[in-house]
Amino acid sequence: MSAIVEAENVCLAGGRLGVDEIVAVAGGTRGVVVPEGVWERVAQGHRAMLAARASGAVYGANTGVGANKRDVVNDSSSLALRLWRSHCAGVGAVLDPQVTRAAMTIRLNQLLMGRSGVGVPMVRALADALDCDLVPTLHELGGLGTGDIAQLAELALTLVGERAWLSTGDEDHVALAQPAETDGLPFMSSNAITLAGAALAVHEAEVLLRAVERVAGVSCLGLAGFTDAWDERVHVSRPESAQSLVAMRIRNAVTDRPRPAGRVQDGFGLRVLSAVLGSVWEALTRLREAVETECSTPSENPLVLDDGVRHHGLFHLASVSGLLDHLRRELTQTMSLGAARVTMLADPNANGQHAFCSDGLPGSSGLMIGEYVVIDALASMRALSVSAAAPVSISMGVENHAPFATQGVRRLRELLEMAWWIVAVEAVSAVRCVRPDVAQVTQCPALEVFAELDVVVDRNHADHTLGRDLSAVLEVLRQQ
């Protein structure tokens, strides 16, 4: 029995499954519960699969798979286990338990739709594993965005007792179910691992972008930025756009400061902030919607319908892959604007302080190395923003296309880690820039963000190692 009370559980019944629910289960703050009435739907799907197999060829149920699809399987009693064993590559890095729990949640929701043909025992076993927080050992490599068959084979073999559970800390093999003859391919026919990584990345990107906005507000205070760019009359022509919403939030967060003589308007690092952030928010929203749709609709091949099965290609994550590529490019553009603000904060002509926000001692480098960190991270982001899509021909040419959404997710998660360091450098720079004039700044939400960061940034602006400051502000921002 789960230690999490039922009132906090996510109800899985094969319906709409949101990113926030996936993240909550993955992080262990919520459990899952399956209504009893759903199991009959799963049983009906399994009966329909058996009936379809009895009346003709069903891919993976009485045939081989891939280039072996023409092979007729007369004795299918061991087919499920043979498919899982042969497709269990088990190589690459072990997946983070949060990704694995997220994937288990997604796969359970998909199976509860009753369109896979998987029998009730295997689906119940997956639900029981989640309820007991049993986490299998799944590995990174083997998916192309056309089904995470290698990892889901590992999951299946763990459920039937042929592989050890990662979460038990020992080599115990605990069998939770016996598979039906036809469970082999249907259980693996999902992109649950890729979608799990995508859901967690969407959540992380949302946290990042909120941090970007907050830190940019502090930078605006430190640079005595103009608030003209956020004036609601400027954005009245597009009141419901993401760009105007960003402008509204920044307008509500910052306050006017005395404007430096001779400056008519700010550099792009501040002035186009709402345009750039609005664009990336739109890209992120589209990806969130696509991920939630994939987690909430059946895509197993073949798909079990009331009058038989249909073979199809809905397992191909083309749309998700394209949105992943787009988001990575948008995030890279957003963080290049963050790099521009770091340069502004380091410039005494813009910040009104000493060069690189140093203590002013001749020869002091201050935060000079921070720019190197930013440009290094930004260069990595540019490399990670390139699409992984390429021609492919596998299984003797039968499978001659792939979206590479799996690699797109992997690159997005790596890219987000780089982005956080750019935010951290800007945060430390902004704090140092605001400090000398903080008493002159009118109270506003951006000043509250400054206060939270000010506590953890070394008050000594003399040259010293910066790693602690950067890590400290990162911890504060990621928790908000």
Side-chain angles (χ1 to χ4, degrees):
M1 178 64 64
S2 172
I4 302 174
V5 297
E6 188 168 322
E8 297 175 338
N9 286 340
V10 173
C11 180
L12 292 183
R16 188 74 178 179
L17 180 60
V19 164
D20 296 335
E21 294 168 317
I22 294 167
V23 171
V25 177
T29 59
R30 298 179 70 181
V32 299
V33 61
V34 178
E36 277 301 316
V38 177
W39 295 111
E40 178 54 29
R41 182 196 305 156
V42 177
Q44 288 175 355
H46 181 57
R47 290 194 294 268
M49 169 66 80
L50 295 177
R53 183 185 65 164
S55 62
V58 177
Y59 181 67
N62 52 16
T63 75
V65 298
N68 294 331
K69 62 183 179 181
R70 289 188 174 86
D71 289 354
V72 177
V73 180
N74 294 314
D75 181 7
S76 59
S77 59
S78 63
L79 183 58
L81 288 173
R82 286 195 289 129
L83 283 173
W84 291 337
R85 290 164 183 162
S86 63
H87 285 67
C88 181
V91 295
V94 174
L95 293 179
D96 184 284
Q98 285 201 26
V99 176
T100 301
R101 281 194 293 267
M104 294 167 71
T105 304
I106 293 166
R107 190 66 190 120
L108 177 58
N109 191 60
Q110 293 171 332
L111 291 170
L112 291 172
M113 298 173 197
R115 297 301 184 184
S116 68
V118 174
V120 170
M122 282 296 292
V123 185
R124 277 196 181 274
L126 181 54
D128 290 343
L130 269 172
D131 188 53
C132 298
D133 198 25
L134 289 172
V135 178
T137 303
L138 307 185
H139 293 82
E140 185 177 58
L141 297 181
L144 303 177
T146 55
D148 297 316
I149 53 179
Q151 295 89 346
L152 292 172
E154 291 183 295
L155 173 58
L157 289 176
T158 307
L159 291 172
V160 301
E162 290 200 5
R163 291 174 61 83
W165 295 91
L166 175 67
S167 55
T168 60
D170 54 38
E171 292 300 314
D172 286 349
H173 293 209
V174 180
L176 300 182
Q178 289 294 320
E181 293 180 4
T182 55
D183 284 351
L185 179 63
F187 191 89
M188 296 186 293
S189 188
S190 166
N191 291 290
I193 310 297
T194 299
L195 293 171
L200 294 175
V202 164
H203 172 73
E204 182 76 7
E206 290 170 346
V207 176
L208 171 77
L209 291 182
R210 287 192 287 269
V212 169
E213 286 190 24
R214 291 196 300 272
V215 172
V218 181
S219 295
C220 188
L221 295 183
L223 294 167
F226 287 69
T227 58
D228 298 27
W230 329 125
D231 192 308
E232 61 185 329
R233 291 165 292 182
V234 173
H235 297 271
V236 69
S237 62
R238 52 190 84 190
E240 299 302 323
S241 70
Q243 180 177 153
S244 65
L245 293 174
V246 171
M248 178 189 68
R249 290 195 293 269
I250 298 174
R251 180 174 71 244
N252 293 335
V254 301
T255 185
D256 275 314
R257 289 188 58 193
R259 299 178 177 183
R263 193 201 298 177
V264 177
Q265 60 183 8
D266 291 319
F268 277 17
L270 289 177
R271 186 152 42 101
V272 302
L273 179 61
S274 62
V276 175
L277 272 177
S279 183
V280 71
W281 271 115
E282 289 172 354
L284 184 54
T285 298
R286 288 196 294 271
L287 178 59
R288 172 187 265 266
E289 292 171 350
V291 169
E292 292 183 342
T293 295
E294 293 293 339
C295 293
S296 309
T297 54
S299 59
E300 293 89 356
N301 181 45
L303 193 68
V304 177
L305 302 177
D306 295 338
D307 62 347
V309 300
R310 298 292 186 277
H311 297 88
H312 62 87
L314 290 182
F315 52 83
H316 190 289
L317 289 181
S319 61
V320 171
S321 181
L323 292 170
L324 285 164
D325 290 349
H326 180 51
L327 178 60
R328 294 199 309 280
R329 290 192 297 269
E330 288 287 330
L331 283 167
T332 301
Q333 175 174 265
T334 298
M335 299 320 299
S336 70
L337 197 67
R341 289 192 297 278
V342 168
T343 297
M344 293 167 66
L345 289 162
D347 185 355
N349 294 315
N351 66 19
Q353 311 296 333
H354 299 294
F356 304 108
C357 300
S358 71
D359 62 353
L361 187 67
S364 293
S365 298
L367 299 176
M368 182 188 294
I369 197 62
E371 286 191 297
Y372 287 74
V373 171
V374 165
I375 300 306
D376 185 357
L378 195 57
S380 297
M381 290 181 68
R382 284 197 296 270
L384 291 165
S385 67
V386 176
S387 175
V392 62
S393 178
I394 54 180
S395 196
M396 300 183 191
V398 171
E399 298 172 13
N400 49 17
H401 193 273
F404 293 97
T406 309
Q407 290 68 32
V409 169
R410 199 177 299 153
R411 291 184 179 192
L412 175 57
R413 301 193 79 192
E414 292 176 20
L415 182 146
L416 288 168
E417 286 302 312
M418 293 294 104
W420 274 114
W421 290 115
I422 298 175
V423 179
V425 173
E426 182 184 355
V428 173
S429 301
V431 166
R432 283 200 182 190
C433 196
V434 170
R435 273 175 175 168
D437 299 325
V438 65
Q440 304 172 28
V441 180
T442 304
Q443 187 64 36
C444 60
L447 192 61
E448 296 172 8
V449 176
F450 161 79
E452 294 174 358
L453 298 172
D454 182 53
V455 173
V456 299
V457 175
D458 196 326
R459 303 200 67 81
N460 180 10
H461 291 193
D463 287 348
H464 64 272
T465 57
L466 300 175
R468 179 195 167 280
D469 285 350
L470 296 176
S471 296
V473 297
L474 206 59
E475 184 175 357
V476 171
L477 292 169
R478 295 185 89 154
Q479 289 178 348
Q480 291 180 341

